[in-house]
Amino acid sequence: MGHLRRGGACSAVLGLVLAATASAPALAGPDRPPRYDNPLSASFADTFADPVVVRGADGLWYAYGTTDPLREGEKQFHGIPMARSSDLVRWTYVGDAFTPGQRPSYAAEGAGFWAPDVRWVDGHWVMYVTVTDTTVSRDGGDFAVGAATAPTPTGPWTFVDEPVVAPRPGGGGGWLWTIDPSQFTDVDGTPYLYYGSYYGGVSVTELSPDGLRAVGEPTLVAIDNKFEGSYVLRHDGWYYLFASTANCCAGPATGYSVHVGRSRNPRGPFVDRDGLALTASRAGGTPVLTQNGNRWIGVGHNGFLTDLSGQDWIVYHGIDRADPYLDEPFGINERPMLIDRLDWVDGWPVVNAGAGPSDGDRPAPVTTGRVDERFHDAALAGWRRDGDWRVTDGRLRGTGTLTSRTTTGGDVRAEVDLRPYAARAAGVDLGDRVDVRVDTAAGRLVVRDGRRTVSTPLPAAFDPGHRHHLAVEVRGDRLVAELSPARLGDQLAVVTLRLDRPPAGRLGLVAEGGVVEFDNASVARLHQPVRRTVPEPRAGGLLPRFSDEFDDGLDADWQWVRPDPAVTVTDGALRWPVRSADLTGTGNTAGVLLRDAPTGDYVVETKVTLDLGEETVRNYQQAGLVAYVDDDRFARLSQVAIWNTRQVEYGYELPFAGQPVYGGNIVGTPATTTWLRLAHRVDPATGEHEFRAGSSRDGRTWTWGGVWTFPADTTPRIGLVAHGGAEPAVTAQFDYLRFHR
C-alpha cells in the first residue's frame, strides 16, 4: 500500500547536502533593499535538511543541518554541517559540529546525527540531536535524543554523555521513533523538549534547568502516524505547535508539509483553526506551508527566526522536483535550505500569506537598521556617553546611559542583547519618555511611559549573569516589550502598553546601579504585517454537461478502468463497496471510474460518506477523487484510514527512473461525510496541469492543501475510487460529481 507506515514513513537516510553552485544574491544599496532567491544554501551546499538558524552573540547568523554529504558526488557525511551569514542571504560553510568518530558513549559505532536544534540555555549553547543508533539494542532503530554544549555557535561541541531522552520500547515492537528534538523555554523559565515521530507520536517533557536531562512524565501533544519534526513558539499568549506530516523523502513524489495547532499551555491540548485536536484519531492540523506547483515539493521540517524589523520567517527544507536526489535515483533525497516570510493572519501562521514556498527574487529579511551597532569599535562613534563605558573583547560594558546620535521615530523595533550581571536594572530608552527595564532587583520587566508603569515578573530562576535578548516594538500607540533567551519565539516576559503618544528621539542604553554588558543594539523600521491571505480556489458556475448527480444510473460519459460490478447507483447516490486493492506500485488492481474533464481551469467536487470509525487500524481503506492519466501517473484525494488515524491524503504517483514512485500530501481532517475538491489550473508559462486539493467537513469551510502537477502533453481525466481493504466491510457513498468554472 502506498501510504504512511510505521516502518517506512521516513526514508532510512535523511538527505542533507549543500549546493555548490548558485547565482549571487542581489546586493543592497541606498535605494535597493536586499533581496534573495531560494534555496539559501545554494552557495555552499546541494542539500541542507532539517535546518535551524540562530543569531550569535557576535551578531551573525548560524545555520545547522542533518548529517549528510554536502555536495553531489562527495560521498562524505558531515557531522551536523554549520554555516554562517551576516545578512541571512549569503552563507558560508564553516565546518562540522562533530568530527568523524566523535560520538557520546551510548551511541553505537556508525551512528548518525539528525535534525539538530540549537538553543541558548543556562548560559551556553546546547545542540539537541537525534542519535540514530545506540548501544541499547543490537537490532538498530533504537533512536535517542542527545545533547552537546558549546561556548560559541560553532563550538567546540562536547557531547553530554547521557541521552536527554533515552530509547523507548514500542508497544508494537521495536523502538519508538525518539527523533526530531526541539527545545522551548516558557515564560516561567521552565525548559521543555518536544520530540517524536510517526511511531509513537510527538511528546513534550520538562527538562532540568540546564536543559540536559528529561525530568517528570512526558505528555503526548500530537498523534502517532501523522506528525513529526515539531517546533513550538509563543505568539500573542498562544503556544503554537508546528509539525511536519506525510513522507519526508519520496524523491519526486514527496509531499511533506507543515501543519499547526495552538494551545494556552505548552503541554497542550493543541487544536487547529477548526478546534480539532492534534491528538485525535481524526487528527487536526491547519496547513502553514505546503507545495504550490512551482519547483519546490516536500517542504517541511521547519525552524523559525525573527529579523530586525520584527518580521517572522520560517526556515525549512524542500525538494526541487526536477532534481530530487543527491546522486543516484532512490538514494539520499536532495533537500536544500529555504526561507520564507511567516505571516500571522487572524491568529494563525501562514507562509507568504498562503502563497506557499517562493521561487524567484523577493525581499530579504532585514538585518540592518537605522541604528546597527555590534560595539566592535572601541571609540563608540555615533554614541553619546553619560557615565563610564568601554568596549573590550567586542562587548560594551559600563554604567550610566549611552545614547545613539541617530534619531528614531514612527513604527520601530529596538533590540539589544544584555547581561545585567552587576546592575540593579538595565534596558533601553526610546526618546525622552519611554523606558524599558530588566529590573533585576525587583525581578520584573518594567515599562514606563511618563507617569504610567506596567510590569510583569521575570522567571524565578532568572540569572542576570546570562545573556538575554530584549526587544521593544512600537506600532502607533501600542508598545510590546519582550525578554527572551535568544529571540526564537520563547519569551521569558512580555509587557504591552498603550502609549500617550508614539515616542520619538534617540535610542538609549541604560545601566542603573552597576555594570551591564550590551551587544547587538539596533533600531529598524517595524515590518508591515499582512492582514489577508491570498485568495483560495472558488467554485464558480456549475458545468452540467460534465457533472453527474447520480439520479438515474451512471450516464454514458463514465468509463471504467477495471470495472467493479458491485458498484450501484440508486436513490441519488453511487455506492461502492471498498475492495482489497490499490493503485500504487506495479499491482494496479483497483477499479477506477473516470470521465473526461473540461478544458481550461475548473474545480471538481464530490461528497463522499465512508464510515471508517476511529482509533482502530483499518489500513488502508479509502474513497475519493482521482486525477488520472494512467496507472502510473495519478493524483488521488481520499479520506483514508492510516493505522489508527483518519486523514485526507492527497497521494501522487509518477514514473521515475524506470519505476513508479508514490508519495503523499496531507490536506484537512475527514468526517464520516467529507467534501473533496480538486482545483485545476493550466500554468500559462509551462502548460502543466496543476491540481490543488481541498477538503471540508461541512461543505462550506474548506482546508486547502498542496499541488501536484502533470506534464503539459498529458490529458488527465477525473474520476472516483474506493479501495484499500475489505475488512471490515464498508461501502463508500458518493452523492455527486460536479464540475465548476
Side-chain angles (χ1 to χ4, degrees):
M1 299 292 177
H3 304 277
L4 300 177
R5 308 185 190 191
R6 283 184 177 160
C10 255
S11 170
V13 178
L14 295 182
L16 181 153
V17 181
L18 310 165
T21 58
S23 57
L27 301 181
D31 301 311
R32 187 179 182 186
R35 302 182 71 82
Y36 79 101
D37 191 358
N38 277 321
L40 284 188
S41 54
S43 63
F44 69 96
D46 295 321
T47 184
F48 200 75
D50 309 331
V52 292
V53 173
V54 301
R55 195 182 192 209
D58 55 5
L60 302 177
W61 305 85
Y62 294 86
Y64 309 82
T66 280
T67 292
D68 267 329
L70 290 178
R71 301 185 184 279
E72 291 182 350
E74 180 189 17
K75 306 296 184 182
Q76 175 189 343
F77 284 78
H78 293 257
I80 307 297
M82 303 179 292
R84 180 171 57 212
S85 175
S86 62
D87 59 7
L88 290 170
V89 172
R90 292 164 292 186
W91 290 85
T92 302
Y93 167 66
V94 293
D96 301 334
F98 308 117
T99 60
Q102 183 182 359
R103 66 182 192 272
S105 62
Y106 61 85
E109 185 175 357
F113 307 118
W114 292 349
D117 185 52
V118 177
R119 302 285 175 141
W120 179 252
V121 180
D122 197 35
H124 52 209
W125 293 101
V126 178
M127 178 187 294
Y128 301 92
V129 294
T130 302
V131 180
T132 63
D133 192 11
T134 74
T135 57
V136 170
S137 169
R138 295 182 178 180
D139 298 330
D142 47 345
F143 302 99
V145 172
T149 62
T152 75
T154 55
W157 292 97
T158 302
F159 273 114
V160 178
D161 216 27
E162 294 289 336
V164 181
V165 182
R168 302 170 295 154
W175 302 88
L176 299 180
W177 292 6
T178 307
I179 68 174
D180 296 351
S182 181
Q183 195 269 348
F184 173 81
T185 302
D186 198 11
V187 287
D188 63 359
T190 302
Y192 293 95
L193 187 77
Y194 297 81
Y195 59 92
S197 182
Y198 301 127
Y199 186 23
V202 177
S203 295
V204 60
T205 186
E206 186 176 332
L207 296 174
S208 56
D210 61 7
L212 303 180
R213 290 180 297 106
V215 297
E217 291 297 317
T219 301
L220 184 73
V221 293
I223 196 170
D224 53 332
N225 296 303
K226 184 171 182 179
F227 295 110
E228 67 173 12
S230 57
Y231 191 102
V232 169
L233 59 88
R234 189 171 181 270
H235 179 86
D236 283 348
W238 290 94
Y239 300 85
Y240 290 84
L241 171 63
F242 295 72
S244 294
T245 186
N247 194 321
C248 68
C249 312
T254 304
Y256 216 39
S257 60
V258 178
H259 291 211
V260 73
R262 72 181 187 183
S263 174
R264 290 295 189 183
N265 188 296
R267 288 186 178 267
F270 291 90
V271 300
D272 68 10
R273 184 176 52 199
D274 297 325
L276 303 172
L278 272 61
T279 50
S281 176
R282 296 181 181 274
T286 297
V288 176
L289 171 65
T290 191
Q291 57 209 47
N292 56 19
N294 65 13
R295 68 190 283 201
W296 301 115
I297 60 173
V299 288
H301 201 117
N302 70 283
F304 169 86
L305 63 91
T306 302
D307 71 14
L308 299 193
S309 76
Q311 175 65 58
D312 293 333
W313 296 80
I314 188 170
V315 57
Y316 60 99
H317 68 239
I319 292 176
D320 184 339
R321 56 190 171 103
D323 183 20
Y325 295 106
L326 186 60
D327 292 313
E328 68 282 352
F330 313 113
I332 296 173
N333 282 239
E334 185 172 314
R335 297 177 292 167
M337 175 174 64
L338 288 72
I339 192 172
D340 274 300
R341 197 183 70 233
L342 185 67
D343 300 315
W344 298 85
V345 181
D346 297 329
W348 291 95
V350 65
V351 172
N352 288 328
S358 67
D359 179 25
D361 186 52
R362 58 194 298 109
V366 174
T367 54
T368 60
R370 302 174 189 175
V371 176
D372 186 28
E373 181 64 75
R374 298 179 189 174
F375 299 111
H376 296 160
D377 181 0
L380 292 175
W383 295 82
R384 187 176 65 237
R385 283 179 274 191
D386 181 8
D388 182 16
W389 296 95
R390 65 194 64 189
V391 176
T392 56
D393 301 324
R395 299 286 185 274
L396 170 70
R397 295 179 180 87
T399 184
T401 303
L402 191 70
T403 306
S404 168
R405 298 185 186 276
T406 302
T407 301
T408 65
D411 292 350
V412 296
R413 175 181 169 99
E415 57 180 75
V416 68
D417 292 338
L418 76 171
R419 191 167 71 93
Y421 62 97
R424 183 178 67 252
V428 300
D429 287 348
L430 297 177
D432 57 359
R433 293 186 310 104
V434 175
D435 56 78
V436 181
R437 298 285 185 272
V438 178
D439 190 329
T440 59
R444 305 186 72 83
L445 178 63
V446 182
V447 179
R448 295 185 181 88
D449 176 23
R451 297 180 180 178
R452 294 183 305 144
T453 300
V454 179
S455 68
T456 194
L458 300 173
F462 177 80
D463 187 342
H466 294 162
R467 178 173 56 89
H468 291 82
H469 179 76
L470 178 64
V472 183
E473 293 187 356
V474 175
R475 189 180 302 279
D477 64 351
R478 185 173 185 264
L479 179 147
V480 178
E482 68 174 42
L483 187 71
S484 69
R487 65 199 324 280
L488 292 174
D490 48 355
Q491 307 103 335
L492 298 177
V494 180
V495 175
T496 301
L497 177 65
R498 290 289 180 184
L499 303 173
D500 289 337
R501 63 182 187 276
R506 294 176 170 83
L507 172 69
L509 305 180
V510 181
E512 300 175 355
V515 177
V516 174
E517 181 179 286
F518 288 106
D519 208 347
N520 300 316
S522 67
V523 178
R525 186 184 302 277
L526 193 60
H527 76 287
Q528 291 300 313
V530 171
R531 303 296 187 189
R532 297 181 183 177
T533 57
V534 298
E536 295 179 337
R538 300 285 183 182
L542 182 68
L543 299 175
R545 185 168 72 86
F546 294 91
S547 304
D548 194 346
E549 300 293 326
F550 303 128
D551 290 331
D552 189 20
L554 285 177
D555 67 36
D557 291 329
W558 287 103
Q559 307 156 50
W560 275 102
V561 176
R562 291 174 293 274
D564 189 337
V567 172
T568 60
V569 179
T570 58
D571 301 325
L574 182 149
R575 293 175 177 84
W576 193 335
V578 173
R579 300 295 194 186
S580 181
D582 204 352
L583 281 177
T584 62
T586 57
N588 300 328
T589 55
V592 186
L593 184 60
L594 298 168
R595 63 193 295 126
D596 292 339
T599 59
D601 299 350
Y602 59 83
V603 173
V604 60
E605 177 185 314
T606 193
K607 175 184 176 184
V608 57
T609 300
L610 183 65
D611 188 359
L612 295 173
E614 297 184 12
E615 298 293 347
T616 58
V617 175
R618 296 174 63 168
N619 293 339
Y620 290 95
Q621 293 184 326
Q622 63 186 282
L625 285 169
V626 65
Y628 177 94
V629 172
D630 56 41
D631 280 341
D632 293 333
R633 191 183 294 275
F634 62 84
R636 178 181 59 189
L637 177 65
S638 57
Q639 58 160 308
V640 58
I642 302 177
W643 292 90
N644 55 313
T645 69
R646 307 296 180 258
Q647 304 183 39
V648 175
E649 183 191 50
Y650 188 29
Y652 181 61
E653 186 168 273
L654 79 163
F656 186 86
Q659 68 183 64
V661 179
Y662 181 86
N665 177 263
I666 303 302
V667 188
T669 303
T672 300
T673 297
T674 305
W675 287 255
L676 302 172
R677 281 180 176 175
L678 289 175
H680 173 262
R681 170 182 178 269
V682 177
D683 188 301
T686 66
E688 284 188 319
H689 300 274
E690 299 177 353
F691 286 93
R692 187 178 182 189
S695 69
S696 174
R697 295 165 57 87
D698 59 11
R700 299 183 301 275
T701 303
W702 292 84
T703 297
W704 287 94
V707 173
W708 291 121
T709 60
F710 293 79
D713 60 357
T714 61
T715 305
R717 292 179 288 170
I718 298 297
L720 303 174
V721 292
H723 54 252
E727 298 294 335
V730 63
T731 296
Q733 174 180 306
F734 296 91
D735 284 17
Y736 55 79
L737 185 79
R738 295 173 182 164
F739 285 85
H740 301 262
R741 280 298 180 201

